[in-house]
Amino acid sequence: MTHVSERSGAGSSPTGAGGDRQPWTGGAGRQARKRSVSYADAGVSIDAGDRAVELLKSKVRQTRRPEVLGDLGGFAGLFRLDTKKYKSPILASSTDGVGTKLVIAQQMDIHDTVGIDLVAMVVDDLVACGAEPLFLLDYIATGEVVPDKVAEIGAGIADGCRYAGCALLGGETAEHPGVLRPDEYDISATGVGVVEEADILSPERVEVGDVVIAMRSSGLHSNGYSLVRHVLLGAARMRLDIVIDDFGRQRTLGEELLTPTKIYAKDCLKLIAEAEVRALSHITGGGIPGNLVRVLPEHVDAVVNRSTWKPQPIFDLIQTKGRIDDHDMESTFNMGVGMFAIVSAEDADRALATLTGRGVEAWQAGEIIEGTGNVQMVGQHTRG
């Protein structure tokens, strides 16, 4: 929730959030009637929404950028775009959610990481075209506003914005009793970024001889969780609190499944500044083949060698328990790679050094050859 308006998504109190002013009254002078039905009777608590906002204010302010105008509480967030910084600024936008990973968070009653997932899904799509994420707006729908829980969700969103370098400019929290159970919620966000028109990354930049660099994921990220739940929690009847030795550090299945999505935005912007980046591919739903193909022109193929990396143990657990074939695994999950960069061969070493210097595990995973706009997956992953 990152509610920068100081109103619950369900509406606003006639007294306002900070005073006793009554902008509207009705029935003045009439004889008092029996107690009427209130919004609270219908399951919507405006006070709870206001309390959640108060808990979040300090976190939201930590994401502030110099371009942000005004303070919390307006009807719209304001952001001054520095047009003098660009010759021809192009705004980029992206919207997304987290999906059924939220079910795991709700089952474990852990809510302070899914906001990071939400931001990652949005800002890493923005940076894929070369855009710097500027600000983000979020939306939370819940069956019942529990201030502490909403504040946890919002804190994760604020953390994600800080990691990405963008402002959390506004948001809305909506209470939907009768539509969602009291403990249920869904979240989504829209982000806006900016890129110089001449610097937009696109398939037209990719050339034969370019190098494909992989950036390691933190795990499953936020894709394929319907299949994960079906296989591990359904068919295999595994418990979220079970400790899996292969995960290390006495880590439970639930903790592994809630590992936050890695945010690459700042790393990719630095990479663009330091090396000749032709394209970036954010690996989300559709896996490596389904996303890398989106940045290829029709006259080339990308060859990706699986033997250059070892996926995290969670992928092997899912594949083994579900008896899932390699094709379905690769078309559903990131298999250990969260972002690909296609760079000129001359800048490959510089690109790897830049990413390594920023603490990003990266390696050369393939190359661009003549072809017909396809992704060729070759070799086999290291196992064990």
Side-chain angles (χ1 to χ4, degrees):
M1 137 168 205
T2 331
H3 211 129
V4 237
S5 79
E6 295 191 56
R7 297 167 178 79
S8 156
S12 55
S13 168
T15 61
D20 297 324
R21 183 169 58 90
Q22 295 277 355
W24 178 88
T25 58
R30 294 180 185 173
Q31 186 176 0
R33 301 161 73 179
K34 291 184 179 179
R35 180 182 180 274
S36 61
V37 175
S38 70
Y39 213 176
D41 292 327
V44 176
S45 173
I46 294 171
D47 290 340
D50 291 341
R51 172 62 179 155
V53 172
E54 289 298 321
L55 293 173
L56 264 177
K57 280 184 176 179
S58 63
K59 274 284 190 179
V60 175
R61 288 189 175 117
Q62 291 175 21
T63 73
R64 189 178 179 91
R65 289 175 50 129
E67 303 96 328
V68 175
L69 302 180
D71 202 354
L72 307 183
F75 285 98
L78 302 176
F79 190 97
R80 179 190 288 112
L81 180 63
D82 184 3
T83 54
K84 296 180 181 178
K85 184 178 177 181
Y86 306 91
K87 293 180 180 179
S88 180
I90 301 297
L91 294 180
S93 63
S94 176
T95 189
D96 213 332
V98 176
T100 58
K101 186 173 186 176
L102 296 178
V103 176
I104 306 296
Q106 290 160 21
Q107 289 175 335
M108 295 190 66
D109 197 25
I110 296 176
H111 313 285
D112 60 351
T113 60
V114 290
I116 299 174
D117 294 299
L118 178 63
V119 176
M121 297 300 287
V122 174
V123 299
D124 286 340
D125 275 356
L126 289 175
V127 81
C129 72
E132 175 192 0
L134 296 177
F135 59 83
L136 182 135
L137 302 163
D138 68 9
Y139 179 82
I140 300 174
T142 181
E144 178 183 352
V145 171
V146 178
D148 288 342
K149 181 190 292 187
V150 173
E152 285 184 57
I153 300 168
I157 298 173
D159 285 341
C161 286
R162 286 193 297 106
Y163 303 153
C166 66
L168 186 50
L169 193 60
E172 182 74 0
T173 298
E175 196 164 26
H176 291 165
V179 177
L180 297 170
R181 293 196 310 268
D183 61 335
E184 281 186 319
Y185 60 84
D186 196 8
I187 58 178
S188 64
T190 296
V192 173
V194 64
V195 59
E196 186 70 68
E197 185 171 11
D199 297 332
I200 295 174
L201 302 181
S202 66
E204 289 72 27
R205 291 174 174 256
V206 178
E207 301 176 1
V208 173
D210 287 345
V211 170
V212 179
I213 290 177
M215 301 177 217
R216 192 162 183 82
S217 70
S218 58
L220 290 170
H221 284 186
S222 300
N223 303 105
Y225 273 78
S226 293
L227 179 57
V228 169
R229 292 186 301 109
H230 174 74
V231 168
L232 300 185
L233 307 184
R237 298 184 179 180
M238 298 181 70
R239 288 171 38 182
L240 292 172
D241 61 356
I242 187 174
V243 174
I244 307 293
D245 292 337
D246 287 346
F247 295 163
R249 299 170 298 173
Q250 289 293 301
R251 194 167 171 81
T252 66
L253 175 61
E255 290 170 337
E256 178 67 27
L257 296 181
L258 285 185
T259 301
T261 304
K262 181 167 178 57
I263 295 176
Y264 301 93
K266 283 186 175 181
D267 304 314
C268 289
L269 290 173
K270 182 65 173 177
L271 181 62
I272 291 169
E274 296 292 331
E276 183 64 33
V277 177
R278 314 286 201 194
L280 292 169
S281 177
H282 185 199
I283 309 305
T284 56
I288 293 171
N291 286 284
L292 191 52
V293 72
R294 298 164 67 180
V295 299
L296 298 178
E298 294 182 354
H299 65 281
V300 306
D301 280 2
V303 179
V304 176
N305 192 335
R306 301 182 186 93
S307 68
T308 59
W309 81 93
K310 178 182 177 181
Q312 292 93 332
I314 184 63
F315 297 104
D316 188 53
L317 177 67
I318 295 167
Q319 184 166 20
T320 301
K321 292 292 187 181
R323 298 192 294 273
I324 305 170
D325 63 36
D326 290 342
H327 176 270
D328 283 344
M329 287 294 296
E330 287 189 335
S331 63
T332 305
F333 303 106
N334 67 58
M335 300 305 293
V337 178
M339 182 78 76
F340 278 108
I342 299 177
V343 305
S344 66
E346 295 79 9
D347 276 6
D349 290 341
R350 180 191 295 271
L352 288 170
T354 298
L355 291 170
T356 300
R358 293 185 60 81
V360 179
E361 185 178 348
W363 63 95
Q364 183 172 330
E367 61 181 339
I368 301 298
I369 64 171
E370 292 184 3
T372 56
N374 295 308
V375 176
Q376 300 181 28
M377 303 292 294
V378 301
Q380 296 297 322
H381 292 300
T382 302
R383 301 288 183 180

